[in-house]
Amino acid sequence: MALATTVNFVFRDQKGKTSITKIRVPSTFSFAQYAEFAESAAQILASASQAQLVETSVSVALDLTGLGLKTTIALFADIYQKALFTVRTAVSGLFSKFNFPTLDDGMVLPNSDVLDTTEAAVAAMQTIIEDGVADGTTISVVDSRGNDLTEVSQMRELFRKS
Amino acid sequence: MPTEIIYTIEDRAGRTATTSVKLPSVEPKTRVNTFNAAFANALDDLIGGVIRSAMAVLQIDISAITGNLEDPDSDVEDVGAFEFLTATGNRVKLNLPAVDELFVDNSSGNLDQTDAQIAAIITMMEDGIAVTGGTIQPCDIGEDSIVGTLFARERFRNSGKRSIN
């Protein structure tokens, strides 16, 4: 069964409280079509509410079937054990970070918290973050401001609450 | 705002955590799916947990919306509660925070479905919204289309999250 796409609307009232409402729609439409729907629906809902609509987003479930991902959780898997990737952006002085939970111990250099870049999985992740994914033209990875990520400056093991 | 793909990962104890990656907002669905296939595989090889879901989140520009202001009397706990029916009889709720009191019939607590703003919500949910190349029809989580309205009434519920103070 396909999982419907969700359009989310966040309202804020005069007291500063926020509340969210959702509309589900079929999963078969394009991102551009969802954007059209969301903007029209936002106007309709905002017109009937005394609160201010402060955020609208669309959540689209991506299909993981057929990707060959593992289905068995490793004995050591712990969400507190993470791989930290610190990445430079195209804007000098701006960095971005990734925390990947349940890091595989085998990716860490002995007697160190540094990830082993000779491990294929570590190198592959570094390549995707720095160079993106080719699909005709490149699909780049960016930071929250849309700046291209250029160079991984640090990769290490980290223990942190999730 | 970039498109964000959020991955949920489960560990041996059944606990879950998320991680995410951002892509330019101009990327269409097909290319986001292509990227997801590559990134999910790279992530899967790096971790011991299992990726349970991947969700692309698009931020929508609502700067062009008109009349979108906080009223001094607004309270998100004063809800316009709508309930709809799908083609196979499932119930779907829509809760509109801070519904305007002008739409409420004080003798019954029902929302006036002849009022233009309330009627617009019902029309949107029952008939969908026309977009380029088709119509997007609201549905339930299993993609069963909404076909009718059961009720629209005022309701008070403790649903708000205080974001300041």
Side-chain angles (χ1 to χ4, degrees), chain A:
Chain A
M1 182 181 74
L3 188 66
T5 293
T6 306
V7 188
N8 311 289
F9 305 90
V10 180
F11 289 86
R12 184 183 62 211
D13 69 14
Q14 179 266 339
K15 304 176 184 75
K17 291 182 295 184
T18 58
S19 185
I20 188 168
T21 194
K22 302 178 179 189
I23 297 175
R24 290 199 166 90
V25 293
S27 58
T28 50
F29 291 92
S30 71
F31 286 177
Q33 288 171 314
Y34 288 136
E36 277 188 71
F37 176 92
E39 196 171 347
S40 297
Q43 180 65 73
I44 290 169
L45 295 177
S47 295
S49 174
Q50 291 184 306
Q52 184 177 17
L53 182 63
V54 292
E55 184 183 333
T56 300
S57 63
V58 180
S59 303
V60 182
L62 301 181
D63 190 6
L64 295 173
T65 57
L67 298 184
L69 306 181
K70 63 177 169 288
T71 55
T72 304
I73 301 171
L75 282 173
F76 61 79
D78 183 340
I79 58 169
Y80 293 165
Q81 184 176 13
K82 301 174 192 298
L84 168 67
F85 284 63
T86 306
V87 190
R88 291 192 176 91
T89 74
V91 178
S92 178
L94 275 185
F95 288 82
S96 189
K97 288 181 179 176
F98 293 86
N99 286 298
F100 301 124
T102 73
L103 172 66
D104 184 336
D105 271 329
M107 305 295 159
V108 185
L109 288 168
N111 306 314
S112 168
D113 65 356
V114 176
L115 300 194
D116 184 353
T117 54
T118 66
E119 284 287 345
V122 175
M125 183 56 79
Q126 181 179 2
T127 300
I128 287 182
I129 291 172
E130 290 180 348
D131 301 336
V133 171
D135 181 27
T137 56
T138 300
I139 306 167
S140 302
V141 180
V142 298
D143 69 3
S144 57
R145 298 178 179 87
N147 301 311
D148 192 22
L149 304 189
T150 55
E151 183 187 8
V152 174
S153 61
Q154 178 184 224
M155 292 179 286
R156 64 184 180 89
E157 182 186 39
L158 177 77
F159 288 87
R160 180 178 289 174
K161 270 187 167 182
S162 288

Side-chain angles (χ1 to χ4, degrees), chain B residues 21-71:
Chain B
V21 61
K22 297 179 181 72
L23 308 178
S25 58
V26 295
E27 294 294 359
K29 194 176 187 180
T30 50
R31 281 166 60 86
V32 169
N33 278 322
T34 300
F35 180 91
N36 172 56
F39 191 88
N41 269 294
L43 180 61
D44 186 57
D45 290 342
L46 190 67
I47 63 175
V50 166
I51 302 171
R52 290 300 184 203
S53 68
M55 187 76 74
V57 180
L58 327 172
Q59 294 297 328
I60 306 300
D61 181 5
I62 53 171
S63 59
I65 290 177
T66 58
N68 185 27
L69 299 169
E70 282 171 13
D71 186 281

